[in-house]
Amino acid sequence: MSEPMGEPAIEPALTPPLTPGQIRGRRQWPLPKQADPAAPLLQVRNLQTYFKLGSGWVKAVDDVSFGLTDGEALGLVGESGCGKTTTALSLVRLLPTNGRIRGGSVELFGIDLVAKSDLALQRYRWREISIIFQGAMNALNPVIQVRRQIAEPIRYRLGQSEAASQKRAEELLDLVGIPSRRLGAYPHELSGGMRQRAMIAMALACDPAIVIGDEPTTALDAMVQAQILQLLEQLRRELGLSLILITHDLSVVAETCDRVLVMYAGRVAEEGPVARVFTEPRHPYTRKLLGAFPNIRSDRRTLETIPGEPPNLLNPPPGCRFAPRCPQVMPVCTEVVPPEAVFADGVRVACHLYETPVHETPA
Amino acid sequence: MSGRYLGQRVLQALGTIVAIVLLNFLLFRLMPGSPERILLRNPNLSPQVVEATRARWGLDKPLLPDQLVAYIGSTVQGDFGYSFKFRGQSVTSVIADRIGPTLLLVGLGELISAIAGIAIGAYAGWRRGGLVDRVGSGASLVLYSMPYFVIGMPLIVIFAAGLGWFPTSGMTSVGGGDRPFPANLIDLARHLALPLATVSLGLIGQYSILMRSAIIETRSEDYITTARAKGLRDGRVLRAHAFPNAMLPMVTLIAINLGYVIGGAITAEIVFSWPGLGTLTITALSARDYPVLQGIFLLVAVSVVLANLAADIIYGILDPRVRG
Ligand SMILES: Nc1ncnc2c1ncn2[C@@H]1O[C@H](COP(=O)(O)OP(=O)(O)OP(=O)(O)O)[C@@H](O)[C@H]1O
Ligand code: SF4
Ligand SMILES: [Mg+2]
């Protein structure tokens, strides 16, 4: 496979972020008919997504709430299996056949997508919310040329002519830095980095409001990983995208995201501005997670591991799901689900250590 | 498709054909009953006559190299000798007479069952557990396990003997083929209907079962989730994304089956006295008509090899990953 010498370099983004008003003004397509122009871009409330397994339900996403504003980048982090992918797929109901949204709402421009029929929901897929899947090798169809796969949503969702779709696909490939001589390539003929770029081009095809990246850079080497993230960041600023970035890599969140949502065993542990959460983690799990992460900037040598395993989501512990592993566990923790405490600096924490609903920022 | 891939496949096919020709030569010389005894059918022949006959047919020469060289020489020229049973007719002409009816019956049957089976299997797999799946897959399994005569007999009893809609056997009525157009075609179609239904029903199960499992397998691939995420209609996800991938394993099956078409559908042909290669095989077997059997064997084997070659080439066109 002939990979060009290094991926094309991208200058660090200099464009200042657009304001929400500018972003809505830049939309190429009108807002959906039922949209409330004053409503926030995305508001997820008490989302519950379960998987049917044998005679029970895997409570993969349980009572998850968060919001996303125009042009914002939200990082979604947590151990493997904590429900990051399920949360993301629930937004446009792309769940495996045994998955069900059991409750809650997903409001996009104030329109509840959970209440929509499958057919009605199709209108929102890709045109409003698109997804960059992990492992573009499997997420791209192996027998269709990459350019055709990018042109497909333009042709069939935006109803443009075949010629116009192909032309737009070429522009998009150019935008993400794929050389024009690779236009006719099939997925297996591209390198991992190039495939992921093609995946990004495809996600941008219908000019969506929200792009979800589900571990878009895992399985890529560090250099390529950095380039892809830089590309995403640049596109976000230039096109006014809102980004939900799922990752295991906390340094990626630190560098690219405005806010971070820490999940544990299907629930939100802590959520808030990245600068606040990373400098002053309040939930014992967030502290462990940051401790477990090797920070090259600090002189920490030993990697702190979190003892124990996440609970079985078929039958999770009744109170706080982190209780079996929590160093600060209290009697109340094993019985009562911790309510959310909201801090003045915009951080939310679900933990019994912070009892009153609104807290001053701890000194 | 790279020339290298194509070249490799063609060479492989040629090698296999050479091996088949050699095997065909040896196999029929190892069979019991010497040809001259069967042919002359006279236990009281004088040794001189037998010797003379053996010399005339070259049987007095050693197997290697003389007989082999002569065999290869005539095989290359399309000369397979003369039939024992149909006296005075060359093997080539005996077989040529029967190819048409077999291609018509089994070829058409393959075509119908492949198209219908793939359509049913694809739909059943896509809507797994739905009505088409439950009815179609059950029926496919039953049909797949039934030999042709089990399918054909009830058809004859109901539609030929009972209702009298179709003739029970043969390919034409007496003089039917000589009638002016379109009466001759109608006559042929009426004779073809039941055997064709039998062959198609017998083959459909295999296609629908395989297609169903291929679709079920592709359905859980990540690129199908991608296609759904794009907000494409369900039908388009199936047609444009799942179907082409699920067809990859089908291509090989179809091509190999097409190779066997030439051998005829023996039981189906017998049940309906269809004058094809299948009935010819049985006739030749019971008459120990070695030259004809040898000819049929060679024809079937070569067409299977060529069908495989076609499968490899089509596969290479459909799947960009093997073009290399
Ligand atoms: N189809 C399914 N049937 C049953 N359980 C499932 C199914 N899909 C996911 N799960 C379970 O739901 C939970 C959440 O899975 P999910 O894939 O959302 O986690 P994740 O945070 O994305 O993990 P990772 O970091 O490994 O991608 C896991 O415990 C997983 O085992
Ligand atoms: S609620 Fe209790 S167990 Fe859970 S994280 Fe807080 S202190 Fe630990
Ligand atoms: Mg995941």
Side-chain angles (χ1 to χ4, degrees):
Chain A
M1 196 55 26
S2 62
E3 170 68 356
M5 288 302 290
E7 309 258 335
I10 291 161
E11 287 301 305
L14 298 171
T15 335
L18 299 167
T19 64
Q22 282 176 316
I23 290 167
R24 297 244 173 130
R26 280 173 60 116
R27 274 182 69 97
Q28 290 183 25
W29 316 101
L31 286 179
K33 282 191 204 72
Q34 302 146 332
D36 170 5
L41 176 60
L42 180 74
Q43 188 63 56
V44 177
R45 285 196 183 92
N46 308 101
L47 183 68
Q48 279 185 326
T49 304
Y50 292 1
F51 293 107
K52 181 94 186 147
L53 200 69
S55 57
W57 292 94
V58 178
K59 299 166 186 65
V61 172
D62 214 351
D63 219 7
V64 166
S65 303
F66 63 92
L68 187 70
T69 59
D70 298 81
E72 190 177 45
L74 173 72
L76 206 51
V77 300
E79 277 167 300
S80 184
C82 69
K84 305 182 294 292
T85 299
T86 307
T87 302
L89 294 184
S90 297
L91 301 186
V92 278
R93 223 188 297 152
L94 278 174
L95 300 164
T97 43
N98 62 337
R100 291 272 177 293
I101 296 180
R102 297 283 302 260
S105 62
V106 174
E107 283 172 24
L108 183 78
F109 304 116
I111 306 166
D112 184 9
L113 299 186
V114 173
K116 293 269 171 205
S117 71
D118 278 343
L119 207 61
L121 189 68
Q122 273 177 15
R123 191 239 167 272
Y124 297 88
R125 290 183 179 159
W126 224 253
R127 286 191 64 161
E128 302 298 347
I129 302 181
S130 68
I131 307 176
I132 302 163
F133 289 99
Q134 175 179 3
M137 186 63 191
N138 299 328
L140 292 169
N141 194 324
V143 303
I144 304 178
Q145 284 178 356
V146 165
R147 177 179 47 167
R148 297 200 147 273
Q149 298 190 49
I150 295 170
E152 189 181 29
I154 305 168
R155 174 92 179 77
Y156 290 94
R157 296 304 313 287
L158 303 180
Q160 303 202 352
S161 72
E162 181 64 30
S165 316
Q166 294 290 334
K167 192 163 168 299
R168 178 81 187 119
E170 283 168 32
E171 287 168 14
L172 285 165
L173 282 168
D174 182 57
L175 181 71
V176 300
I178 291 183
S180 54
R181 65 193 160 77
R182 310 306 311 265
L183 276 181
Y186 286 89
H188 75 281
E189 293 170 334
L190 296 174
S191 68
M194 284 293 167
R195 270 200 295 272
Q196 208 52 268
R197 282 170 192 267
M199 203 59 224
I200 292 173
M202 192 157 86
L204 300 176
C206 296
D207 189 34
I210 301 174
V211 174
I212 300 172
D214 190 353
E215 305 188 36
T217 60
T218 22
L220 298 177
D221 68 58
M223 272 292 280
V224 182
Q225 201 167 352
Q227 287 164 348
I228 296 289
L229 287 168
Q230 210 170 53
L231 171 68
L232 269 179
E233 180 63 11
Q234 184 200 22
L235 290 171
R236 178 166 78 95
R237 284 165 185 256
E238 282 180 5
L239 306 177
L241 298 172
S242 303
L243 199 63
I244 297 179
L245 191 65
I246 298 174
T247 176
H248 281 118
D249 192 336
L250 296 182
S251 66
V252 167
V253 174
E255 278 164 33
T256 57
C257 294
D258 305 310
R259 286 189 310 127
V260 61
L261 178 73
V262 182
M263 285 186 72
Y264 183 80
R267 290 224 162 107
V268 177
E270 182 163 358
E271 191 251 6
V274 168
R276 300 300 309 138
V277 173
F278 279 21
T279 49
E280 217 171 84
R282 276 154 249 195
H283 195 286
Y285 176 65
T286 314
R287 290 185 191 146
K288 286 280 180 190
L289 201 63
L290 288 166
F293 192 76
N295 187 343
I296 40 169
R297 270 168 234 141
S298 79
D299 44 35
R300 192 198 301 276
R301 286 290 139 100
T302 52
L303 189 115
E304 204 179 315
T305 53
I306 310 177
E309 279 171 22
N312 178 356
L313 293 178
L314 261 176
N315 201 359
C320 172
R321 293 188 178 175
F322 190 54
R325 299 165 83 184
C326 181
Q328 285 153 284
V329 62
M330 302 170 288
V332 61
C333 301
T334 54
E335 280 162 24
V336 183
V337 176
E340 233 165 48
V342 182
F343 291 83
D345 61 352
V347 177
R348 297 184 290 145
V349 181
C351 172
H352 285 298
L353 290 175
Y354 313 93
E355 275 302 354
T356 52
V358 179
H359 278 259
E360 291 305 309
T361 313
Chain B
M1 198 177 338
S2 71
R4 201 180 127 86
Y5 174 79
L6 194 65
Q8 264 177 359
R9 299 296 128 155
V10 171
L11 274 182
Q12 208 172 28
L14 283 178
T16 318
I17 289 177
V18 168
I20 288 166
V21 169
L22 290 180
L23 186 70
N24 206 14
F25 171 75
L26 286 175
L27 201 63
F28 284 88
R29 269 154 193 77
L30 295 176
M31 289 212 173
S34 69
E36 65 273 20
R37 292 234 168 271
I38 298 167
L39 200 59
L40 300 174
R41 298 242 177 99
N42 186 344
N44 304 321
L45 283 174
S46 70
Q48 289 85 347
V49 175
V50 173
E51 267 321 300
T53 316
R54 285 179 62 87
R56 186 147 56 90
W57 289 330
L59 294 174
D60 55 339
K61 305 247 175 62
L63 219 53
L64 286 172
D66 299 53
Q67 282 196 32
L68 179 62
V69 169
Y71 168 78
I72 291 178
S74 48
T75 299
V76 169
Q77 290 167 22
D79 172 9
F80 302 99
Y82 287 86
S83 162
F84 294 171
K85 160 112 180 140
F86 304 96
R87 296 208 165 220
Q89 287 197 52
S90 69
V91 169
T92 320
S93 82
V94 169
I95 292 180
D97 282 348
R98 304 297 193 98
I99 282 189
T102 282
L103 284 184
L104 182 66
L105 173 60
V106 192
L108 211 53
E110 281 284 353
L111 196 72
I112 292 172
S113 58
I115 292 173
I118 284 171
I120 293 172
Y123 196 82
W126 194 246
R127 296 234 190 287
R128 189 182 188 174
L131 188 68
V132 173
D133 187 23
R134 275 177 292 157
V135 176
S137 301
S140 295
L141 211 61
V142 170
L143 287 173
Y144 187 36
S145 61
M146 282 209 256
Y148 286 130
F149 66 88
V150 177
I151 303 173
M153 280 307 183
L155 290 184
I156 291 181
V157 169
I158 299 169
F159 296 104
L163 296 168
W165 292 354
F166 303 106
T168 48
S169 70
M171 195 166 85
T172 48
S173 320
V174 180
D178 302 329
R179 287 182 215 157
F181 180 85
N184 56 351
L185 259 188
I186 293 171
D187 183 55
L188 176 64
R190 289 187 63 238
H191 282 84
L192 184 60
L194 291 186
L196 184 61
T198 305
V199 171
S200 308
L201 286 174
L203 291 170
I204 204 169
Q206 185 186 15
Y207 288 115
S208 83
I209 290 169
L210 194 78
M211 187 63 187
R212 176 179 180 270
S213 64
I215 281 281
I216 287 175
E217 206 168 297
T218 21
R219 213 173 53 149
S220 60
E221 294 283 352
D222 289 350
Y223 54 76
I224 298 298
T225 309
T226 308
R228 290 205 297 135
K230 282 173 168 179
L232 303 172
R233 282 170 202 281
D234 197 52
R236 178 158 178 90
V237 178
L238 171 61
R239 268 180 286 117
H241 291 272
F243 191 79
N245 282 283
M247 274 306 283
L248 294 177
M250 301 303 292
V251 169
T252 316
L253 178 76
I254 295 172
I256 291 172
N257 281 349
L258 285 182
Y260 281 112
V261 159
I262 211 86
I266 293 181
T267 39
E269 288 186 13
I270 300 245
V271 168
F272 292 96
S273 311
W274 191 258
L277 283 170
T279 35
L280 178 65
T281 306
I282 298 297
T283 314
L285 260 177
S286 51
R288 291 210 187 161
D289 193 344
Y290 289 160
V292 167
L293 286 177
Q294 207 173 1
I296 293 175
F297 177 79
L298 194 67
L299 186 68
V300 171
V302 168
S303 51
V304 169
V305 171
L306 292 181
N308 259 305
L309 179 63
D312 284 338
I313 293 172
I314 295 172
Y315 200 100
I317 293 169
L318 291 184
D319 189 347
R321 287 164 296 185
V322 303
R323 283 174 218 166

Coordinates of all heavy atoms in Angstrom, one line a residue, chain A residues 251-281:
Chain A
S251 N -6.0 13.1 27.5 CA -5.2 14.2 27.0 C -5.9 14.8 25.7 O -5.8 16.0 25.5 CB -3.7 13.8 26.7 OG -3.7 12.9 25.6
V252 N -6.5 13.9 24.9 CA -7.3 14.4 23.8 C -8.4 15.3 24.2 O -8.6 16.4 23.7 CB -7.8 13.2 23.0 CG1 -8.8 13.7 21.9 CG2 -6.7 12.5 22.3
V253 N -9.1 14.9 25.3 CA -10.2 15.7 25.8 C -9.6 17.1 26.3 O -10.2 18.1 26.0 CB -10.9 15.0 26.9 CG1 -11.9 15.9 27.6 CG2 -11.6 13.7 26.4
A254 N -8.5 17.0 27.0 CA -7.9 18.2 27.5 C -7.6 19.2 26.4 O -7.7 20.4 26.6 CB -6.6 17.9 28.3
E255 N -7.1 18.7 25.3 CA -6.7 19.5 24.2 C -7.8 20.0 23.3 O -7.7 21.1 22.8 CB -5.6 18.8 23.3 CG -4.2 18.9 23.9 CD -3.3 17.8 23.3 OE1 -3.5 17.6 22.1 OE2 -2.5 17.3 23.9
T256 N -8.8 19.2 23.1 CA -9.8 19.6 22.1 C -11.2 19.9 22.6 O -12.0 20.5 21.9 CB -10.0 18.5 21.0 OG1 -10.4 17.3 21.7 CG2 -8.7 18.2 20.3
C257 N -11.5 19.5 23.8 CA -12.9 19.7 24.3 C -13.1 20.9 25.2 O -12.2 21.3 25.9 CB -13.4 18.4 24.9 SG -13.5 17.1 23.8
D258 N -14.4 21.4 25.1 CA -14.7 22.5 26.0 C -15.2 21.9 27.3 O -14.9 22.4 28.4 CB -15.9 23.3 25.4 CG -15.5 23.9 24.0 OD1 -14.4 24.4 23.9 OD2 -16.2 23.7 23.1
R259 N -16.1 20.9 27.2 CA -16.6 20.3 28.4 C -16.4 18.8 28.4 O -16.1 18.2 27.3 CB -18.1 20.6 28.5 CG -18.3 22.1 29.0 CD -19.8 22.4 29.3 NE -20.6 21.9 28.3 CZ -21.7 21.1 28.5 NH1 -22.0 20.7 29.7 NH2 -22.4 20.7 27.5
V260 N -16.5 18.2 29.5 CA -16.3 16.7 29.6 C -17.4 16.1 30.4 O -17.9 16.6 31.4 CB -14.9 16.4 30.2 CG1 -14.7 16.9 31.6 CG2 -14.6 14.9 30.1
L261 N -17.8 14.9 29.9 CA -18.8 14.1 30.6 C -18.1 12.8 31.0 O -17.7 12.0 30.2 CB -20.0 13.9 29.7 CG -21.1 13.0 30.2 CD1 -22.0 13.8 31.2 CD2 -22.1 12.6 29.1
V262 N -18.0 12.6 32.3 CA -17.4 11.3 32.8 C -18.5 10.4 33.2 O -19.4 10.7 34.0 CB -16.5 11.6 34.1 CG1 -15.9 10.3 34.5 CG2 -15.5 12.7 33.8
M263 N -18.5 9.2 32.5 CA -19.5 8.2 32.8 C -19.0 7.0 33.6 O -17.8 6.7 33.4 CB -20.1 7.7 31.4 CG -21.0 8.6 30.7 SD -21.8 7.9 29.3 CE -23.0 6.7 30.1
Y264 N -19.8 6.5 34.4 CA -19.4 5.3 35.1 C -20.6 4.3 35.2 O -21.7 4.7 35.6 CB -18.9 5.5 36.6 CG -18.4 4.3 37.2 CD1 -17.2 3.8 36.9 CD2 -19.3 3.5 38.0 CE1 -16.8 2.6 37.5 CE2 -18.9 2.3 38.6 CZ -17.6 1.9 38.3 OH -17.2 0.7 38.9
A265 N -20.4 3.1 34.6 CA -21.4 2.1 34.7 C -22.8 2.6 34.3 O -23.8 2.3 34.9 CB -21.5 1.4 36.0
G266 N -22.9 3.3 33.1 CA -24.2 3.7 32.6 C -24.7 5.0 33.2 O -25.8 5.4 32.8
R267 N -24.0 5.6 34.1 CA -24.5 6.8 34.7 C -23.5 8.0 34.6 O -22.3 7.7 34.3 CB -24.7 6.6 36.2 CG -25.9 5.7 36.5 CD -26.7 6.3 37.7 NE -28.0 5.7 37.7 CZ -28.4 4.9 38.6 NH1 -27.6 4.5 39.6 NH2 -29.6 4.4 38.6
V268 N -24.0 9.2 34.7 CA -23.0 10.3 34.7 C -22.4 10.4 36.1 O -23.1 10.5 37.1 CB -23.8 11.7 34.4 CG1 -22.8 12.8 34.4 CG2 -24.4 11.6 33.0
A269 N -21.1 10.4 36.2 CA -20.4 10.6 37.4 C -20.2 12.1 37.7 O -20.5 12.7 38.7 CB -19.1 9.9 37.5
E270 N -19.6 12.8 36.6 CA -19.3 14.2 36.8 C -19.3 14.8 35.4 O -19.0 14.2 34.4 CB -17.9 14.3 37.4 CG -17.4 15.7 37.6 CD -16.2 15.8 38.5 OE1 -15.8 14.7 39.0 OE2 -15.7 16.9 38.8
E271 N -19.8 16.1 35.3 CA -19.8 16.8 34.1 C -19.5 18.2 34.3 O -19.9 18.8 35.3 CB -21.1 16.6 33.4 CG -21.2 17.1 32.0 CD -22.0 18.3 31.8 OE1 -22.4 19.0 32.8 OE2 -22.2 18.7 30.6
G272 N -18.7 18.8 33.4 CA -18.4 20.2 33.5 C -17.3 20.7 32.6 O -16.9 19.9 31.7
P273 N -16.9 22.0 32.7 CA -15.9 22.5 31.8 C -14.6 21.7 32.0 O -14.3 21.4 33.2 CB -15.7 24.0 32.3 CG -17.0 24.3 33.0 CD -17.5 23.0 33.6
V274 N -13.9 21.4 30.9 CA -12.7 20.6 31.0 C -11.7 21.2 32.0 O -11.1 20.5 32.8 CB -12.1 20.4 29.6 CG1 -10.7 19.8 29.7 CG2 -13.0 19.6 28.7
A275 N -11.5 22.5 31.9 CA -10.5 23.2 32.7 C -10.8 22.9 34.2 O -9.9 22.7 35.0 CB -10.5 24.7 32.4
R276 N -12.1 23.0 34.6 CA -12.5 22.8 36.0 C -12.4 21.3 36.4 O -11.8 21.0 37.4 CB -13.9 23.3 36.2 CG -14.2 24.7 35.9 CD -13.3 25.7 36.8 NE -13.4 25.4 38.2 CZ -12.4 25.4 39.0 NH1 -11.2 25.7 38.5 NH2 -12.5 25.1 40.3
V277 N -13.0 20.4 35.6 CA -13.0 19.0 36.0 C -11.6 18.4 36.1 O -11.3 17.7 37.0 CB -13.9 18.2 35.0 CG1 -13.8 16.7 35.3 CG2 -15.3 18.7 35.1
F278 N -10.7 18.8 35.1 CA -9.4 18.2 35.1 C -8.5 18.7 36.2 O -7.6 18.0 36.7 CB -8.8 18.3 33.7 CG -9.2 17.3 32.8 CD1 -10.4 16.6 33.0 CD2 -8.5 16.9 31.6 CE1 -10.9 15.6 32.1 CE2 -8.9 16.0 30.7 CZ -10.1 15.3 30.9
T279 N -8.7 20.0 36.5 CA -7.8 20.6 37.6 C -8.3 20.3 39.0 O -7.6 20.1 39.9 CB -7.7 22.1 37.5 OG1 -9.0 22.7 37.3 CG2 -6.9 22.5 36.2
E280 N -9.7 20.1 39.1 CA -10.2 19.9 40.4 C -11.3 18.8 40.3 O -12.5 19.1 40.5 CB -10.9 21.2 40.8 CG -10.7 21.5 42.3 CD -11.2 22.9 42.5 OE1 -12.4 23.1 42.6 OE2 -10.4 23.8 42.4
P281 N -10.9 17.6 40.1 CA -11.9 16.5 40.0 C -12.6 16.3 41.3 O -12.0 16.3 42.4 CB -11.1 15.2 39.6 CG -9.7 15.6 40.0 CD -9.5 17.0 39.9

